[in-house]
Amino acid sequence: MNHSELEQEIGKMARAMMTRNSLIGKDLIADLRGRLSVDSIAALMIVSIERLIWSDCESALWSLSYLIPADVMEEMRRITALVVCQRLTGKGFVLGKDFSIDSAGRLLLSETAQTAVAAA
């Protein structure tokens, strides 16, 4: 998928999220499953939500609660946890001391790491 096609898919997904119509969103996700891997779909969803959150936070929250399939959500958590870990490491925090990830993939943060993430 080239850059233009990717931008088009992100826009379609963001607009689908704004409708809060799960049938539209699920149809788009089903179409993407035929063309992309789960990690690529998760990345596309993250960017779509990031764009939507600035203009329609409620639709972004709705999408996180009702639209995104479990396997895609799991991959989104993995991607975001990895990015947060990289940023924390870059700020001098130590894995296993200041932050870690539990067996369910949830990020565990010390108070100072929480403050750093909230400030970012």
Side-chain angles (χ1 to χ4, degrees):
M1 184 175 292
N2 66 37
H3 180 72
S4 176
E5 292 170 330
L6 183 59
E7 283 294 325
Q8 195 172 35
E9 293 300 331
I10 290 167
K12 282 197 284 190
M13 186 56 69
R15 287 188 301 278
M17 289 174 175
M18 289 174 73
T19 69
R20 297 187 203 179
N21 183 323
S22 61
L23 293 176
I24 294 170
K26 288 178 181 184
D27 281 349
L28 282 173
I29 292 168
D31 178 62
L32 291 171
R33 283 187 189 278
R35 297 182 288 137
L36 301 173
S37 63
V38 172
D39 60 328
S40 294
I41 296 169
L44 187 142
M45 298 296 281
I46 290 168
V47 174
S48 299
I49 288 170
E50 192 271 334
R51 290 190 181 171
L52 183 60
I53 204 161
W54 297 107
S55 61
D56 190 355
C57 187
E58 291 298 318
S59 291
L61 293 172
W62 178 88
S63 297
L64 288 166
S65 298
Y66 301 108
L67 178 64
I68 301 168
D71 62 331
V72 175
M73 183 64 79
E74 183 179 325
E75 186 62 22
M76 289 171 63
R77 284 187 184 111
R78 190 194 65 74
I79 291 168
T80 55
L82 179 62
V83 170
V84 171
C85 288
Q86 289 172 337
R87 289 190 180 169
L88 287 169
T89 302
K91 290 184 178 193
F93 290 96
V94 178
L95 179 62
K97 178 182 175 202
D98 299 309
F99 66 96
S100 62
I101 299 175
D102 70 9
S103 62
R106 286 182 290 253
L107 194 59
L108 307 171
L109 304 170
S110 68
E111 286 186 35
T112 54
Q114 284 179 357
T115 304
V117 168

